[in-house]
Amino acid sequence: MNVTRGFTGRPRVHNPGLPPGQYDAGDDWPVLSAEVTPDVSPADWTFRVDGLVEQPRTWDWDEAHALPSSAYEGDIHCVTSWSKFGVRFAGVSLDAFLAEARPDASATHAVAYAHTGYTTNLPLADLTGGRAWIVWEYDGEPLPAEHGGPARLLVPHLYFWKSAKWVAGLTLLDHDEPGFWEQNGYHARGNPWEEQRYAGD
């Protein structure tokens, strides 16, 4: 069994779609959270974009659903070494929210925050250009609460701790500001293909 910097998993099978140090979770979707799963109903859910934007804006459930729908079909990768292939999420591209908020030219990074207080930092370039979504459906069904429902951020090209569960908003900044796991030794960006698991990787 291979061991990667403290993470253990199943025996690795060669798959060109697997980033280094990952295994195919198959039908499993492990539940991993830094916090207790909150009870956030769609009626109570909101999403806000603020910080370095021309028009700070908050959307409620209905307003977010009124934006053009978008979907992601592909793979996701967790820093704890599992990957899932062929997942299907539906929601709205983050580009649609940002188009209404109009980011300032000085904005380079963002902090995503959850209704629980969880935070994670991301370069703005990783959130734009059709690379990130706010999603509320998984495989045609409402996103389960334990996986971030009613809605979560989805940034599938980075390790999954960057895809904040129970997402409540995004604050745009002109600098990088570490979030919860980043303050506790995780990598600032989290690219699975470069095994950016820990600070210094």
Side-chain angles (χ1 to χ4, degrees):
M1 177 177 293
N2 294 330
V3 179
T4 303
R5 297 288 298 276
F7 292 103
T8 60
R10 303 177 184 181
R12 272 49 168 180
V13 176
H14 177 68
N15 180 330
L18 273 176
Q22 299 291 109
Y23 72 88
D24 183 353
D27 293 333
D28 293 337
W29 187 0
V31 177
L32 301 166
S33 301
E35 302 154 303
V36 174
T37 299
D39 182 15
V40 181
S41 71
D44 296 329
W45 181 86
T46 57
F47 178 72
R48 180 170 177 79
V49 177
D50 56 23
L52 294 177
V53 295
E54 294 180 22
Q55 185 61 55
R57 173 79 197 273
T58 301
W59 294 262
D60 64 20
W61 188 252
D62 291 337
E63 291 167 336
H65 278 66
L67 294 172
S69 61
S70 183
Y72 170 77
E73 295 188 17
D75 311 326
I76 55 176
H77 310 286
C78 181
V79 70
T80 59
S81 78
W82 59 263
S83 295
K84 278 184 69 64
F85 292 91
V87 299
R88 296 186 299 159
F89 288 94
V92 171
S93 171
L94 196 55
D95 291 317
F97 294 96
L98 292 172
E100 294 197 9
R102 301 193 299 276
D104 189 85
S106 64
T108 59
H109 290 78
V111 171
Y113 55 94
H115 283 270
T116 58
Y118 174 85
T119 59
T120 189
N121 57 306
L122 301 112
L124 190 55
D126 281 317
L127 297 172
T128 56
R131 306 184 84 192
W133 292 260
I134 302 300
V135 295
W136 37 71
E137 287 185 10
Y138 175 75
D139 204 18
E141 299 292 336
L143 184 65
E146 65 269 23
H147 290 300
R152 74 179 296 159
L153 176 63
L154 177 67
V155 191
H157 64 283
L158 300 179
Y159 282 127
F160 220 46
W161 92 79
K162 294 291 186 176
S163 296
K165 294 181 177 182
W166 317 297
V167 69
L170 202 67
T171 298
L172 272 57
L173 307 169
D174 60 4
H175 61 280
D176 196 10
E177 189 171 293
F180 175 82
W181 284 117
E182 296 80 15
Q183 293 176 40
N184 285 279
Y186 278 40
H187 197 278
R189 182 160 184 253
N191 181 340
W193 295 97
E194 297 180 8
E195 286 199 273
Q196 293 176 339
R197 302 176 190 272
Y198 298 99
D201 283 349

